[in-house]
Amino acid sequence: MPELLLELFSEEIPARFQRRAAEDLKKAVTNALVDAGLVYEGAKAFATPRRLALTVSGLPVRSPDTREQKKGPKVGAPQAAIDGFLRSAGLTSIDQAKVDSDPKKGDFYVANIDKPGADAIALLSGILPKVLTDFPWAKSMRWGSGSFNWVRPLRAITATFGSENEEPVVVPFDSNELKSGQTTFGHRFLAPEPITVKRFDDYVTALERAKVVLDLDRRKDIIRSDAEHLAFAQGLSIIADEGLLEEVAGLVEWPVVMMGSFDPDFLKLPEEVIIATIRANQKCFCLRDAAGKLAPNFIITSNNVALDGGAVIVAGNERVIRARLSDAVFFYNNDLALPLEHGLPKLEDTIFHAKLGTQFARVERLVKLAGEIAPQVGADPERARRAAMLAKADLVTGMVGEFPELQGLMGRYYATAQGEPDDIANAIEQHYRPLGPTDRVPTDPVAIAVALADKLDLLTGFWAIDEKPTGSRDPFALRRAALGVIRIIAENGLKLPLQVDPDLLAFFHDRLKVSLRDAGARHDLVDAVLSAESNDILQITQRADALSALLSSPDGQNLLAGYRRAANILAAEEKKDGKAYVGPVDQDLLLLPEESALAFAVDAVHAAVVKHTGENDYKGAMSELATLRAPVDAFFEAVLVNDADAAIRANRLNLLARLRDTMRLVADFSRVAG
């Protein structure tokens, strides 16, 4: 069957847009093909710095003929309704319609509309220009005198259609004064001549000959493999950086890997500074020696095959990196010249948020809050306040001004250099953590206090000015902050009730549900241990774990069945009687041994559960509940709750209410599914 080859050749596409753009092109074209009745077998999209390409295989030469049944008005309807039906159905007379009968609605007109299929090339000629016009670039531009938008000026369009054993034809269409054809171009420097292509296989082969590797992932593999081999030959290893690898692969069409070096004297700088400098300025990979220390070398990925073996390219990169590292030394030494706290007054000139004041005002809040949290997490309040005071001081340093991603880290280096205790220096770095789901949480008490203060201040502040996340927007990363609070508390086993307003507490509940579900907890069990007032994160997680363990056992499953039976009986009888059964159980009215046994067991378990929950021992509490299985089963086997004697009936309902309320001490079992 025929295949479609589409290439959109342009000036350089930013690396960060390429993968998404390839997928967007594939989605837009294939969706439109299906909508047009052209069902395909497979599709794959590609991107290089100068082209987006798409191949769609297994396309039919025509869309199929279809028949649509259009329902019309009732027989005898006003003429205006009939005329409208005729126009919409393309009929000239009502005699061309047929009459169908419905037992309830009577007779009505129906038109069978036959739609002949269309030639695939004709359909593609309409689909492809619309795809280009509507393409969802994050940023786009116009050029010349046209109104067409593309990420960079579009220079050529290749669009061919045909099967393997025939000469393909060009899908004819215009876009921004460009006509589709079958001419593309190779590498900008190594093979810039025009190339005539027919179908995808010869297109890929022709590009390879013209020094273009079409597949982004293959370019990544080439860079990774060649860099690893080059480093290994020198007894070094690459510092893995998947984000940089993705970016570099998007900057080259024909990757050529080389190694450069810099003055080892620069290794006196913190290694994170060296890596950030080389990465940000030259898009190069850094290396480690056999001992794991940063090596004075780097890997360059060129987009050219140099006649001199790359000597000029390497020398040029070395020259730029030397200059940038010299700048880093200047910033570092200048920053070290003054204690961190000397930068605090500058924070008064730095706006944190228009409605929340300056960074200095925020620091004042952090100092107060960290001091309040410290005793609850086992930290010294004075050290927590000191760490909070210095936590944002590196924001006004030269190094963080140059590399914002080093905030916190540089604060730790500067704090250590000026003699601050290790726990304070580490808290300055770690108070931003966790930065994501795979990032570690702080574990030192001082760092915990400052990290919690930072995130809670962020959340309460933005809640106070009604800047809350929406379904699609979270510009201040408040979801991440809430998850950070949850992880810090849960992973450090902290009993730290959240003193926040109900709306923010509900937000924490939502984030906690996400966190627990991601960890494998059942959604209904999370709901069962949560109430609107639940503010103890550790307690909630422990209850969810304990409930899960209970219900995974036969005793727990049978106890749940008994609870439901008791709850259903109570609900029905309370509704009928118009009152709740909350009274004490009268021992003198317990006539059968099974009800006496249950009453005794419930009283004992109730006391034990209260003791265990008071000690945050939810596994122990659940274990106590599990012992109720046998007396509950025996009760329902032998006892008729709705006894003819009203007093006995009421006493038995009170007993069931006592059972229900005892189980609710640890969870709302009515929310458990299944």
Side-chain angles (χ1 to χ4, degrees), residues 453-592:
D454 182 64
K455 293 163 182 59
L456 290 170
D457 175 76
L458 189 74
L459 288 158
T460 55
F462 281 107
W463 242 253
I465 62 173
D466 201 28
E467 286 279 3
K468 304 168 187 175
T470 64
S472 59
R473 294 184 69 254
D474 186 12
F476 304 110
L478 301 181
R479 291 188 181 92
R480 186 177 72 188
L483 282 171
V485 171
I486 290 166
R487 284 190 57 202
I488 290 170
I489 291 174
E491 293 179 29
N492 284 292
L494 300 174
K495 186 167 180 60
L496 185 71
L498 298 174
Q499 305 299 325
V500 296
D501 69 52
D503 189 43
L504 180 52
L505 185 59
F507 180 71
F508 272 108
H509 287 172
D510 289 341
R511 295 299 92 203
L512 179 58
K513 288 179 183 179
V514 171
S515 177
L516 291 175
R517 289 170 190 170
D518 288 346
R522 282 170 41 184
H523 69 88
D524 57 322
L525 303 192
V526 178
D527 289 338
V529 299
L530 265 177
S531 68
E533 298 77 29
S534 300
N535 67 351
D536 190 325
I537 299 298
L538 181 64
Q539 182 187 92
I540 295 166
T541 57
Q542 289 176 338
R543 284 189 175 191
D545 289 343
L547 180 58
S548 178
L550 173 67
L551 295 181
S552 64
S553 69
D555 282 346
Q557 294 168 6
N558 284 341
L559 179 61
L560 176 61
Y563 167 86
R564 286 179 174 148
R565 187 170 178 183
N568 289 338
I569 292 171
L570 279 168
E573 298 308 310
E574 287 176 341
K575 182 178 180 181
K576 182 175 69 176
D577 298 342
K579 66 175 183 178
Y581 284 92
V582 293
V585 177
D586 188 340
Q587 299 294 323
D588 293 334
L589 293 177
L590 299 173
L591 305 182
L592 298 175

Side-chain angles (χ1 to χ4, degrees), residues 265-454:
D265 199 46
F266 285 121
L267 293 174
K268 295 176 184 176
L269 285 166
E271 69 170 41
E272 296 90 347
V273 171
I274 297 171
I275 294 169
T277 300
I278 292 175
R279 184 190 197 281
N281 290 289
Q282 294 304 103
K283 311 302 180 190
C284 294
F285 297 89
C286 290
L287 302 149
R288 294 194 186 279
D289 62 21
K293 295 181 179 179
L294 192 66
N297 304 87
F298 57 89
I299 293 290
I300 311 155
T301 307
S302 172
N303 192 34
N304 205 349
V305 179
L307 297 177
D308 62 357
V312 171
I313 294 172
V314 170
N317 278 271
E318 289 177 340
R319 186 167 57 252
V320 174
I321 285 174
R322 182 170 60 251
R324 295 293 177 263
L325 289 176
S326 296
D327 290 342
V329 170
F330 173 79
F331 290 136
Y332 188 58
N333 289 335
N334 270 13
D335 292 341
L336 285 173
L338 292 173
L340 263 178
E341 57 260 47
H342 279 223
L344 290 175
K346 295 181 182 178
L347 293 177
E348 295 192 61
D349 301 323
T350 306
I351 299 298
F352 170 62
H353 186 279
K355 295 180 180 179
L356 295 173
T358 64
Q359 282 284 8
F360 187 81
R362 183 157 193 254
V363 167
E364 291 181 315
R365 296 195 300 272
L366 294 184
V367 170
K368 181 176 183 295
L369 187 53
E372 293 170 353
I373 292 173
Q376 302 177 69
V377 299
D380 179 84
E382 284 304 314
R383 293 171 95 88
R385 282 191 282 266
R386 175 70 177 172
M389 185 185 76
L390 298 177
K392 306 295 181 183
D394 68 348
L395 295 178
V396 295
T397 61
M399 189 65 75
V400 173
E402 185 74 9
F403 299 108
E405 67 270 24
L406 297 182
Q407 60 186 281
L409 175 68
M410 295 314 302
R412 173 172 67 81
Y413 278 114
Y414 298 147
T416 300
Q418 73 184 35
E420 295 289 343
D422 287 346
D423 58 350
I424 291 177
N426 289 333
I428 293 171
E429 177 190 5
Q430 296 176 15
H431 83 280
Y432 290 106
R433 291 181 179 173
L435 293 173
T438 60
D439 194 19
R440 292 172 299 163
V441 303
T443 56
D444 179 80
V446 173
I448 289 171
V450 182
L452 288 173
D454 182 64

